[in-house]
Amino acid sequence: CYSVSIKTNKAQSGQVINQKASTFVFGLVGGEVQAPCEPAEVNTSHSFVDGLVSWLTLGLYEPVSVEIKCAK
């Protein structure tokens, strides 16, 4: 399990959007998500279930959880 956070200097509005990003070949290909708002903070994480799916597919498919906190 791992997580990465990117924060901006913008104030948060309280709206939080959770998405899944699909990456391939051990996370080297893909992984794009579209933010429906201007982000104040973006957190990506690789949960136990995400790791299990990656392990079952031998790293060919690797889902990543993405949390977007919108700016005001």
Side-chain angles (χ1 to χ4, degrees):
C1 297
Y2 70 85
S3 65
V4 176
S5 296
I6 299 171
K7 298 179 182 181
T8 66
N9 292 330
K10 297 179 170 85
Q12 295 182 11
S13 68
Q15 181 181 8
V16 178
I17 296 147
N18 291 303
Q19 298 181 355
K20 283 283 192 185
S22 297
T23 63
F24 303 93
V25 192
F26 303 104
L28 298 175
V29 179
E32 293 181 15
V33 294
Q34 297 295 322
C37 61
E38 185 175 1
E41 182 177 343
V42 177
N43 301 311
T44 61
S45 62
H46 198 253
S47 68
F48 174 79
V49 175
D50 294 341
L52 182 62
V53 170
S54 177
W55 180 77
L56 290 172
T57 62
L58 302 175
L60 295 177
Y61 173 70
E62 190 168 322
V64 177
S65 301
V66 179
E67 177 185 72
I68 301 167
K69 295 180 181 177
C70 296
K72 287 185 178 179

